[in-house]
């Protein structure tokens, strides 16, 4: 059979207007997805553009169900593939965190980390340097209290 006459394979797609129901998800996914998201953000090709990116995410989340999306809104909220990947994880994490809180599954942590620690971490990210030691230092200052 020639290549021109071969059928394309069927694929599965999903109805984006529907929601999956009746699932149980381990809270460990929150930490795992958060770690992946943190890695994606720290390796983002344009660290200076991150505040604008998260502002765009906020605008997307503010859209009302059924709201008409004008061409101007669509242009302002269009995501490239990297932004879309980050948004997918970000929004999924928001949902999982909301559900965990609603179900009283959160453990509260106290920290002695400071704003200076976070500034130092942000400076390392912006400079494209390794953040591993700074993250370990900040994590060592965390204590679960609940």
């Amino acid at each position: 059979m020639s290549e021109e006459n071969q059928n394309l394979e069927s694929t599965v797609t999903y109805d984006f207007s529907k929601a999956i129901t009746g699932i149980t998800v381990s809270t460990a996914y929150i930490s795992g997805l958060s770690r992946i998201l943190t890695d994606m953000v720290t390796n983002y090709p344009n660290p200076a553009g991150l505040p604008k990116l998260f502002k765009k995410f906020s605008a997307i989340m503010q859209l009302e169900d059924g709201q008409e999306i004008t061409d101007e809104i669509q242009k302002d909220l269009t995501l490239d593939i990297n932004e879309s990947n980050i948004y997918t994880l970000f929004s999924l994490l928001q949902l999982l965190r909301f559900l965990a809180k609603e179900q009283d599954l959160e453990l509260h942590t106290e920290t002695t980390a400071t704003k200076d620690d976070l500034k130092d971490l942000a400076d390392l990210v912006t400079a494209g340097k390794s953040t591993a030691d700074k993250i370990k230092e900040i994590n060592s200052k965390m204590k679960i209290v609940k």
Side-chain angles (χ1 to χ4, degrees):
M1 180 187 259
S2 73
E3 284 188 32
E4 296 108 33
N5 293 329
Q6 289 183 354
N7 291 336
L8 297 176
E9 289 189 36
S10 297
T11 61
V12 174
T13 58
Y14 302 94
D15 183 347
F16 295 158
S17 69
K18 307 286 190 222
I20 298 171
T21 61
I23 63 172
T24 302
V25 177
S26 169
T27 56
Y29 279 98
I30 295 172
S31 297
L33 292 171
S34 184
R35 186 182 61 252
I36 295 167
L37 180 61
T38 298
D39 184 60
M40 292 174 76
V41 168
T42 57
N43 292 309
Y44 191 66
N46 177 19
L50 286 170
K52 183 178 177 184
L53 178 61
F54 281 95
K55 187 175 181 182
K56 191 186 287 192
F57 291 174
S58 179
I60 291 169
M61 291 186 298
Q62 298 297 323
L63 294 173
E64 301 288 330
D65 282 339
Q67 177 180 347
E68 181 183 346
I69 310 284
T70 64
D71 288 342
E72 186 174 328
I73 291 173
Q74 182 69 36
K75 181 181 165 221
D76 289 343
L77 301 182
T78 299
L79 303 173
D80 67 26
I81 191 68
N82 288 325
E83 293 170 337
S84 180
N85 290 342
I86 291 172
Y87 178 75
T88 299
L89 284 176
F90 175 77
S91 60
L92 179 60
L93 271 170
Q94 293 299 95
L95 173 62
L96 293 175
R97 287 175 176 154
F98 170 80
L99 293 171
K101 181 177 183 132
E102 190 176 64
Q103 296 173 30
D104 199 30
L105 302 175
E106 293 179 328
L107 298 175
H108 293 271
T109 304
E110 289 181 353
T111 183
T112 58
T114 64
K115 289 180 182 180
D116 285 339
D117 289 325
L118 294 180
K119 182 189 175 308
D120 293 345
L121 180 62
D123 290 344
L124 290 170
V125 170
T126 303
K129 296 182 179 178
S130 173
T131 59
D133 289 338
K134 190 62 177 179
I135 290 173
K136 284 179 188 175
E137 176 189 333
I138 291 171
N139 283 342
S140 73
K141 296 178 180 182
M142 307 273 187
K143 179 177 126 186
I144 295 175
V145 293
K146 177 187 171 198

